[in-house]
Short mmCIF file of all heavy atoms in Angstrom, two decimals:
data_model
loop_
_atom_site.label_atom_id
_atom_site.label_comp_id
_atom_site.label_asym_id
_atom_site.label_seq_id
_atom_site.Cartn_x
_atom_site.Cartn_y
_atom_site.Cartn_z
N PRO K 8 0.83 -1.20 0.00
CA PRO K 8 0.00 0.00 0.00
C PRO K 8 0.87 1.25 0.00
O PRO K 8 1.92 1.30 0.66
CB PRO K 8 -0.80 -0.12 1.30
CG PRO K 8 0.09 -0.91 2.21
CD PRO K 8 0.84 -1.86 1.32
N LEU K 9 0.45 2.27 -0.73
CA LEU K 9 1.23 3.50 -0.87
C LEU K 9 0.59 4.71 -0.19
O LEU K 9 1.16 5.79 -0.20
CB LEU K 9 1.42 3.82 -2.36
CG LEU K 9 2.14 2.74 -3.18
CD1 LEU K 9 2.08 3.08 -4.67
CD2 LEU K 9 3.59 2.61 -2.72
N ALA K 10 -0.58 4.52 0.40
CA ALA K 10 -1.32 5.66 0.94
C ALA K 10 -0.56 6.36 2.06
O ALA K 10 -0.59 7.59 2.17
CB ALA K 10 -2.69 5.21 1.43
N ALA K 11 0.13 5.61 2.90
CA ALA K 11 0.83 6.24 4.02
C ALA K 11 1.94 7.16 3.55
O ALA K 11 2.11 8.27 4.07
CB ALA K 11 1.39 5.16 4.95
N SER K 12 2.70 6.72 2.54
CA SER K 12 3.79 7.57 2.04
C SER K 12 3.26 8.80 1.33
O SER K 12 3.80 9.90 1.47
CB SER K 12 4.71 6.76 1.11
OG SER K 12 3.99 6.15 0.06
N VAL K 13 2.16 8.64 0.57
CA VAL K 13 1.57 9.80 -0.10
C VAL K 13 1.00 10.78 0.93
O VAL K 13 1.18 11.99 0.82
CB VAL K 13 0.48 9.36 -1.09
CG1 VAL K 13 -0.28 10.56 -1.63
CG2 VAL K 13 1.10 8.58 -2.25
N SER K 14 0.33 10.26 1.95
CA SER K 14 -0.22 11.13 2.99
C SER K 14 0.88 11.92 3.68
O SER K 14 0.71 13.10 4.00
CB SER K 14 -0.98 10.29 4.03
OG SER K 14 -2.13 9.71 3.46
N GLU K 15 2.01 11.27 3.89
CA GLU K 15 3.13 11.97 4.53
C GLU K 15 3.66 13.10 3.65
O GLU K 15 4.01 14.18 4.13
CB GLU K 15 4.24 10.97 4.84
CG GLU K 15 5.33 11.51 5.74
CD GLU K 15 4.84 11.86 7.14
OE1 GLU K 15 3.86 11.25 7.59
OE2 GLU K 15 5.45 12.76 7.76
N LEU K 16 3.72 12.86 2.33
CA LEU K 16 4.14 13.92 1.41
C LEU K 16 3.17 15.11 1.48
O LEU K 16 3.59 16.27 1.53
CB LEU K 16 4.19 13.39 -0.02
CG LEU K 16 5.28 12.38 -0.37
CD1 LEU K 16 5.09 11.89 -1.80
CD2 LEU K 16 6.66 12.98 -0.20
N ILE K 17 1.89 14.81 1.49
CA ILE K 17 0.89 15.87 1.52
C ILE K 17 0.95 16.64 2.84
O ILE K 17 0.95 17.88 2.86
CB ILE K 17 -0.52 15.28 1.30
CG1 ILE K 17 -0.64 14.74 -0.12
CG2 ILE K 17 -1.60 16.33 1.55
CD1 ILE K 17 -1.89 13.92 -0.39
N ARG K 18 1.04 15.92 3.93
CA ARG K 18 1.06 16.58 5.24
C ARG K 18 2.37 17.34 5.47
O ARG K 18 2.42 18.23 6.33
CB ARG K 18 0.84 15.55 6.35
CG ARG K 18 -0.58 14.95 6.30
CD ARG K 18 -0.91 14.13 7.52
NE ARG K 18 -2.33 13.78 7.51
CZ ARG K 18 -2.80 12.61 7.09
NH1 ARG K 18 -1.98 11.69 6.64
NH2 ARG K 18 -4.09 12.37 7.11
N SER K 19 3.41 17.00 4.72
CA SER K 19 4.68 17.73 4.82
C SER K 19 4.64 19.04 4.06
O SER K 19 5.59 19.82 4.10
CB SER K 19 5.82 16.87 4.28
OG SER K 19 5.99 15.70 5.07
N GLY K 20 3.54 19.27 3.34
CA GLY K 20 3.39 20.52 2.60
C GLY K 20 4.10 20.54 1.27
O GLY K 20 4.26 21.61 0.66
N ILE K 21 4.50 19.37 0.76
CA ILE K 21 5.18 19.30 -0.54
C ILE K 21 4.15 19.52 -1.65
O ILE K 21 3.07 18.91 -1.63
CB ILE K 21 5.90 17.96 -0.70
CG1 ILE K 21 7.04 17.86 0.32
CG2 ILE K 21 6.44 17.79 -2.12
CD1 ILE K 21 7.66 16.49 0.42
N GLU K 22 4.47 20.36 -2.59
CA GLU K 22 3.56 20.65 -3.71
C GLU K 22 3.63 19.50 -4.71
O GLU K 22 4.61 19.36 -5.45
CB GLU K 22 3.98 21.97 -4.35
CG GLU K 22 3.05 22.43 -5.47
CD GLU K 22 3.51 23.73 -6.10
OE1 GLU K 22 4.34 24.44 -5.49
OE2 GLU K 22 3.04 24.04 -7.22
N LEU K 23 2.59 18.70 -4.75
CA LEU K 23 2.54 17.54 -5.63
C LEU K 23 1.79 17.90 -6.90
O LEU K 23 0.59 18.15 -6.86
CB LEU K 23 1.86 16.37 -4.93
CG LEU K 23 2.51 15.88 -3.63
CD1 LEU K 23 1.64 14.84 -2.96
CD2 LEU K 23 3.91 15.33 -3.89
N HIS K 24 2.49 17.91 -8.03
CA HIS K 24 1.82 18.23 -9.29
C HIS K 24 1.14 17.00 -9.88
O HIS K 24 0.03 17.07 -10.40
CB HIS K 24 2.83 18.81 -10.28
CG HIS K 24 3.27 20.18 -9.92
ND1 HIS K 24 4.33 20.82 -10.53
CD2 HIS K 24 2.79 21.06 -9.00
CE1 HIS K 24 4.47 22.03 -10.00
NE2 HIS K 24 3.55 22.18 -9.07
N CYS K 25 1.83 15.85 -9.81
CA CYS K 25 1.26 14.62 -10.36
C CYS K 25 1.82 13.42 -9.62
O CYS K 25 3.00 13.41 -9.24
CB CYS K 25 1.59 14.51 -11.86
SG CYS K 25 0.80 13.11 -12.69
N LEU K 26 0.97 12.43 -9.42
CA LEU K 26 1.37 11.14 -8.85
C LEU K 26 0.86 10.05 -9.79
O LEU K 26 -0.22 10.17 -10.36
CB LEU K 26 0.74 10.93 -7.47
CG LEU K 26 1.10 11.92 -6.37
CD1 LEU K 26 0.21 11.68 -5.15
CD2 LEU K 26 2.57 11.82 -5.99
N ARG K 27 1.63 8.98 -9.90
CA ARG K 27 1.17 7.86 -10.73
C ARG K 27 1.82 6.58 -10.24
O ARG K 27 3.05 6.51 -10.13
CB ARG K 27 1.53 8.10 -12.20
CG ARG K 27 1.02 7.04 -13.17
CD ARG K 27 -0.50 6.96 -13.22
NE ARG K 27 -1.11 8.20 -13.65
CZ ARG K 27 -1.37 8.50 -14.92
NH1 ARG K 27 -1.05 7.65 -15.88
NH2 ARG K 27 -1.97 9.64 -15.22
N ASP K 28 1.01 5.56 -9.94
CA ASP K 28 1.59 4.27 -9.59
C ASP K 28 1.95 3.53 -10.87
O ASP K 28 1.31 3.70 -11.91
CB ASP K 28 0.68 3.45 -8.69
CG ASP K 28 -0.71 3.23 -9.27
OD1 ASP K 28 -1.12 3.99 -10.16
OD2 ASP K 28 -1.38 2.27 -8.83
N LEU K 29 2.99 2.71 -10.78
CA LEU K 29 3.62 2.16 -11.99
C LEU K 29 3.17 0.73 -12.23
O LEU K 29 3.95 -0.21 -12.14
CB LEU K 29 5.14 2.24 -11.85
CG LEU K 29 5.68 3.62 -11.44
CD1 LEU K 29 7.20 3.56 -11.27
CD2 LEU K 29 5.28 4.68 -12.45
N THR K 30 1.91 0.57 -12.56
CA THR K 30 1.35 -0.76 -12.73
C THR K 30 1.56 -1.23 -14.18
O THR K 30 2.68 -1.24 -14.66
CB THR K 30 -0.13 -0.78 -12.31
OG1 THR K 30 -0.83 0.27 -12.97
CG2 THR K 30 -0.25 -0.58 -10.81
N ARG K 31 0.50 -1.63 -14.85
CA ARG K 31 0.65 -2.19 -16.19
C ARG K 31 1.39 -1.22 -17.12
O ARG K 31 1.04 -0.06 -17.23
CB ARG K 31 -0.71 -2.52 -16.78
CG ARG K 31 -0.66 -3.17 -18.15
CD ARG K 31 -2.01 -3.71 -18.54
NE ARG K 31 -2.43 -4.77 -17.63
CZ ARG K 31 -3.69 -5.16 -17.48
NH1 ARG K 31 -4.66 -4.56 -18.14
NH2 ARG K 31 -4.00 -6.14 -16.65
N GLY K 32 2.43 -1.71 -17.78
CA GLY K 32 3.23 -0.87 -18.65
C GLY K 32 4.42 -0.24 -17.98
O GLY K 32 5.31 0.30 -18.63
N GLY K 33 4.47 -0.30 -16.64
CA GLY K 33 5.64 0.13 -15.91
C GLY K 33 5.94 1.62 -15.95
O GLY K 33 5.10 2.45 -16.30
N LEU K 34 7.17 1.95 -15.59
CA LEU K 34 7.62 3.33 -15.50
C LEU K 34 7.51 4.06 -16.83
O LEU K 34 7.01 5.19 -16.90
CB LEU K 34 9.07 3.35 -15.01
CG LEU K 34 9.78 4.71 -14.98
CD1 LEU K 34 9.12 5.64 -13.97
CD2 LEU K 34 11.26 4.53 -14.65
N ALA K 35 7.95 3.43 -17.90
CA ALA K 35 7.96 4.10 -19.20
C ALA K 35 6.56 4.48 -19.65
O ALA K 35 6.32 5.62 -20.07
CB ALA K 35 8.61 3.20 -20.25
N THR K 36 5.61 3.56 -19.54
CA THR K 36 4.25 3.84 -19.99
C THR K 36 3.61 4.95 -19.17
O THR K 36 2.95 5.84 -19.71
CB THR K 36 3.39 2.56 -19.92
OG1 THR K 36 3.98 1.57 -20.78
CG2 THR K 36 1.97 2.82 -20.36
N ALA K 37 3.81 4.92 -17.85
CA ALA K 37 3.25 5.97 -17.00
C ALA K 37 3.77 7.34 -17.39
O ALA K 37 3.01 8.31 -17.49
CB ALA K 37 3.58 5.67 -15.54
N LEU K 38 5.06 7.44 -17.65
CA LEU K 38 5.65 8.73 -18.00
C LEU K 38 5.23 9.20 -19.39
O LEU K 38 5.02 10.40 -19.61
CB LEU K 38 7.17 8.65 -17.89
CG LEU K 38 7.71 8.58 -16.47
CD1 LEU K 38 9.21 8.30 -16.47
CD2 LEU K 38 7.42 9.87 -15.70
N ILE K 39 5.10 8.27 -20.32
CA ILE K 39 4.63 8.65 -21.66
C ILE K 39 3.21 9.21 -21.57
O ILE K 39 2.89 10.23 -22.20
CB ILE K 39 4.69 7.44 -22.61
CG1 ILE K 39 6.15 7.06 -22.89
CG2 ILE K 39 3.98 7.77 -23.93
CD1 ILE K 39 6.31 5.71 -23.57
N GLU K 40 2.34 8.57 -20.80
CA GLU K 40 0.97 9.06 -20.65
C GLU K 40 0.96 10.45 -20.01
O GLU K 40 0.19 11.33 -20.42
CB GLU K 40 0.17 8.08 -19.80
CG GLU K 40 -0.12 6.77 -20.52
CD GLU K 40 -0.82 5.76 -19.63
OE1 GLU K 40 -0.88 5.99 -18.40
OE2 GLU K 40 -1.30 4.74 -20.16
N ILE K 41 1.80 10.67 -19.02
CA ILE K 41 1.87 11.99 -18.37
C ILE K 41 2.40 13.03 -19.33
O ILE K 41 1.87 14.15 -19.41
CB ILE K 41 2.75 11.90 -17.10
CG1 ILE K 41 2.05 11.08 -16.03
CG2 ILE K 41 3.08 13.30 -16.57
CD1 ILE K 41 2.92 10.74 -14.85
N ALA K 42 3.46 12.70 -20.07
CA ALA K 42 4.04 13.66 -21.01
C ALA K 42 3.04 14.07 -22.08
O ALA K 42 2.94 15.25 -22.43
CB ALA K 42 5.30 13.05 -21.65
#
């Protein structure tokens, strides 16, 4: 589960522009979709 780490980022006041978990298609596919 990733919710705890994301919650910590948010509560730390970090400006999050985009988040994406790297499931089907992996890192490359996620970044291509974002780009």
